[in-house]
Amino acid sequence: MGIKRRHWALAAAPLALALLTATGCESTQGAESTPDAKPTAAPSTPVARVCAKPAAGPAKAPAGAVTVDPAVVGDLAAKTESSPPNTTFWLRPGKHRLDPDRYAQVIPKDGDRYLGAPGAVLDGGKKNQYAFGGSARNVTIRYLTVQRFVAPHDEGVVNHDSADGWVIEHATIQYNSAAGLMAGARQQVRASCLRENGQYGMNAYQAKGRITGLVVEGNEIVGNNTGDWERRREGCGCTGGIKFWAVNGADVRGNWVHDNRGTGLWADTNNNDFRIENNVIEDNDGAALIYETSYNAVIRKNTIRRNNWVEGRREAERGDNFPYATVYLSESGGEPRVKARTDKIEVYRNVLENNWSGITLWENADRFCNSPANTSSGDCTLLVRDTDSCARPAIAKPPLYADCRWKTQRVDIHDNRFVLDKSVVKCTEKCDRMAVLANYGTYPDWSPYQGERVAEAITEKQHNRWHDNVYLGPWQFVAQDQSQVLDFGQWQGTPYQQDADSTLDPRAGG
């Protein structure tokens, strides 16, 4: 299901995985140099320094709780099995272990609660694959460190089976293979440290159905994808600080997403109704945010800094002229027929500072339901029930002509501040672009989207609009196809007419 920007995908690049000292959220001095700047900058949001200062759990067992002894191997799993639903377990300080069998794991019952005392760690010893699994609902895990489990690729360690209603708070999930955490419907992940896991910090994926009502709030998501999976499986689209698949309704707010190898936050394939707000997203190797083949989102009041330096620079050095962006909206847009809290993608009141390029709106003309070029194999849009119906001759006529493809449409980008100092990014070209474009359709031979149709539509007909933004630094703009690089006047003029009531000071970025 990996993203295809042209006809091939990117491999991730190496990252020295280290926790950085948090730096707050103020813009650079150059960002304040334009007195008539209209947009209100994102508020100075304190970063969620969860990993360095984890909250301490209860030092004594709560009344009625079952005490778990770290000196007894397998004590947690055994006591869970022998206790009724809705039991509270208190894990004493120390290193807790499961039985040495690779499949040994804790199987909670409905409503079970797991509380770690200060210093309580559940350690897989690089032998156990899973920490917590099964289908129990409304399980709570608080104040517990879970580490060194070896889940297989694409699987997860905590909530391995993506059960519904779990609450993960004040937890540290670190140094595991694959995903540290999976997600189910109505899951809440708050004030937790998702650190240096082999593939994802969290993989929000459920094998059957769609995840609804997901909350991800106040977490630190750092250094994930230590296994460098995009390099090992080129084009897999299988990494990210967090990856979201078919999530219907998510609030992602107040998180510190930084220093991940690859993308920070990546929503891929039929996600809908996201609010991504008040996050600090910085120093990720790839894009800060990818919203791919998905619908209806609000992206606001985020501070986005120094992202995409590794992947953007690598492609530029290869001579690739594609506008690799820090916020990348790929075949994603607003769709009023898909129920959500908004009927568009609105990107506003964000500060983007010294990233490799800015925002790219992209649509692959060859990517649609039933096309061999669709990297989300077997998936179709939320408007078509039967993928096989997207075939000739019906696909060439309404309604399938429109409904069989994910469209980048109804994107409203306004009241943002874009700051670029090339001396900070250490670049001379290709790091300074906003873009709205598509490739020319060529494949398959029965596609009704061949030629310039999609490129013209995304640029001129699908209600994608920039306005009321402030640009500080030497920004350029790309429209329709990657060969058309425009200055600010051309971008604002006919036929593109973008960025009405916006300002640009090319010398103010640095």
Side-chain angles (χ1 to χ4, degrees):
M1 296 186 182
I3 193 165
K4 290 279 186 175
R5 292 164 172 85
R6 303 168 305 279
H7 293 291
W8 59 90
L10 296 179
L15 168 69
L17 293 170
L19 285 173
L20 298 184
T21 301
T23 56
C25 302
E26 297 79 10
S27 297
T28 62
Q29 183 176 357
E32 304 301 328
S33 63
T34 303
D36 60 346
K38 293 182 292 298
T40 302
S44 183
T45 305
V47 294
R49 293 182 177 91
V50 180
C51 296
K53 299 179 179 179
K60 296 182 179 179
V66 174
T67 297
V68 182
D69 187 351
V72 179
V73 173
D75 196 39
L76 179 60
K79 286 179 175 173
T80 297
E81 184 177 8
S82 63
S83 300
N86 300 302
T87 296
T88 296
F89 300 90
W90 180 70
L91 285 73
R92 289 183 180 275
K95 185 179 291 186
H96 297 254
R97 293 189 181 275
L98 303 176
D99 290 334
D101 181 87
R102 62 187 297 188
Y103 298 112
Q105 59 191 285
V106 181
I107 307 294
K109 297 182 176 71
D110 288 351
D112 281 351
R113 296 172 295 278
Y114 297 88
L115 306 179
V121 176
L122 180 59
D123 193 301
K126 296 295 183 181
K127 296 179 181 179
N128 306 118
Q129 291 189 347
Y130 316 119
F132 294 90
S135 59
R137 298 188 174 207
N138 304 323
V139 173
T140 298
I141 299 171
R142 289 192 175 104
Y143 306 110
L144 182 63
T145 294
V146 180
Q147 65 183 29
R148 302 204 312 146
F149 286 79
V150 286
H153 182 257
D154 288 336
E155 298 185 36
V157 169
V158 175
N159 196 10
H160 167 259
D161 298 293
S162 301
D164 294 341
W166 285 40
V167 175
I168 314 295
E169 290 183 332
H170 304 294
T172 298
I173 303 174
Q174 62 186 7
Y175 316 142
N176 302 289
S177 300
L181 174 63
M182 301 297 286
R186 304 180 310 284
Q187 182 157 302
Q188 300 176 42
V189 185
R190 290 192 168 96
S192 292
C193 171
L194 308 181
R195 174 169 59 189
E196 294 188 42
N197 295 288
Q199 189 178 356
Y200 307 105
M202 183 171 75
N203 185 13
Y205 171 79
Q206 199 170 50
K208 295 182 180 179
R210 303 179 69 198
I211 296 173
T212 59
L214 180 63
V215 175
V216 182
E217 181 176 22
N219 305 285
E220 183 174 350
I221 301 152
V222 54
N224 294 288
N225 188 28
T226 60
D228 200 4
W229 278 98
E230 293 286 344
R231 184 177 295 276
R232 294 166 66 178
R233 297 188 182 183
E234 185 175 357
C236 71
C238 60
T239 61
I242 299 181
K243 191 74 181 280
F244 304 90
W245 310 86
V247 175
N248 186 24
D251 290 280
V252 183
R253 56 182 176 246
N255 303 286
W256 185 21
V257 185
H258 67 103
D259 293 281
N260 293 284
R261 174 177 281 166
T263 302
L265 301 173
W266 189 343
D268 185 354
T269 309
N270 287 339
N271 297 279
N272 175 52
D273 195 13
F274 271 53
R275 287 190 176 177
I276 302 170
E277 57 191 357
N278 293 313
N279 301 286
V280 177
I281 310 176
E282 59 188 0
D283 298 304
N284 297 288
D285 273 13
L289 170 64
I290 296 176
Y291 204 70
E292 179 186 0
T293 54
S294 294
Y295 301 88
N296 300 325
V298 173
I299 303 166
R300 64 185 177 190
K301 302 181 183 178
N302 300 287
T303 299
I304 300 173
R305 304 183 289 207
R306 301 182 301 275
N307 297 282
N308 206 30
W309 287 16
V310 173
E311 293 189 4
R313 192 184 318 278
R314 183 187 64 232
E315 297 310 310
E317 290 174 349
R318 291 175 177 175
D320 194 333
N321 196 40
F322 188 86
Y324 293 97
T326 284
V327 175
Y328 188 66
L329 305 181
S330 175
E331 296 93 15
S332 293
E335 176 50 74
R337 292 174 291 173
V338 177
K339 185 178 180 181
R341 291 168 286 183
T342 182
D343 61 359
K344 58 185 176 180
I345 292 182
E346 190 172 15
V347 184
Y348 70 98
R349 293 189 65 193
N350 303 283
V351 171
L352 282 81
E353 182 175 292
N354 290 328
N355 301 283
W356 190 279
S357 286
I359 298 174
T360 287
L361 310 188
W362 162 253
E363 199 167 319
N364 183 344
D366 298 329
R367 187 178 191 183
F368 54 91
C369 303
N370 214 25
S371 168
N374 177 23
T375 52
S376 295
S377 304
D379 287 289
C380 196
T381 71
L382 295 180
L383 303 174
V384 177
R385 292 179 178 271
D386 181 10
T387 301
D388 292 339
S389 67
C390 294
R392 59 181 175 187
I395 193 173
K397 299 177 182 179
L400 292 180
Y401 179 83
D403 292 351
C404 285
R405 64 177 302 108
W406 294 272
K407 291 187 289 188
T408 304
Q409 64 179 5
R410 298 172 61 84
V411 180
D412 189 5
I413 302 168
H414 65 93
D415 293 286
N416 302 286
R417 181 183 293 266
F418 301 105
V419 181
L420 176 63
D421 183 342
K422 287 188 174 182
S423 69
V424 173
V425 183
K426 296 182 173 59
C427 69
T428 58
E429 59 180 357
K430 300 179 182 177
C431 64
D432 53 3
R433 292 177 289 180
M434 299 282 162
V436 53
L437 76 164
N439 59 336
Y440 290 180
T442 60
Y443 181 77
D445 59 7
W446 52 268
S447 168
Y449 311 110
Q450 294 190 16
E452 301 181 14
R453 296 180 180 182
V454 174
E456 291 175 349
I458 189 175
T459 307
E460 301 175 15
K461 302 175 182 178
Q462 293 180 182
H463 308 288
N464 297 314
R465 184 171 177 241
W466 279 256
H467 63 95
D468 295 285
N469 298 297
V470 165
Y471 296 91
L472 306 175
W475 289 95
Q476 299 186 86
F477 305 86
V478 179
Q480 191 157 333
D481 68 72
Q482 61 196 58
S483 69
Q484 299 197 67
V485 182
L486 314 173
D487 63 29
F488 194 51
Q490 293 169 319
W491 175 248
Q492 288 187 309
T494 303
Y496 307 112
Q497 297 183 321
Q498 291 291 358
D499 264 316
D501 298 316
S502 296
T503 62
L504 180 144
D505 184 342
R507 296 169 296 176

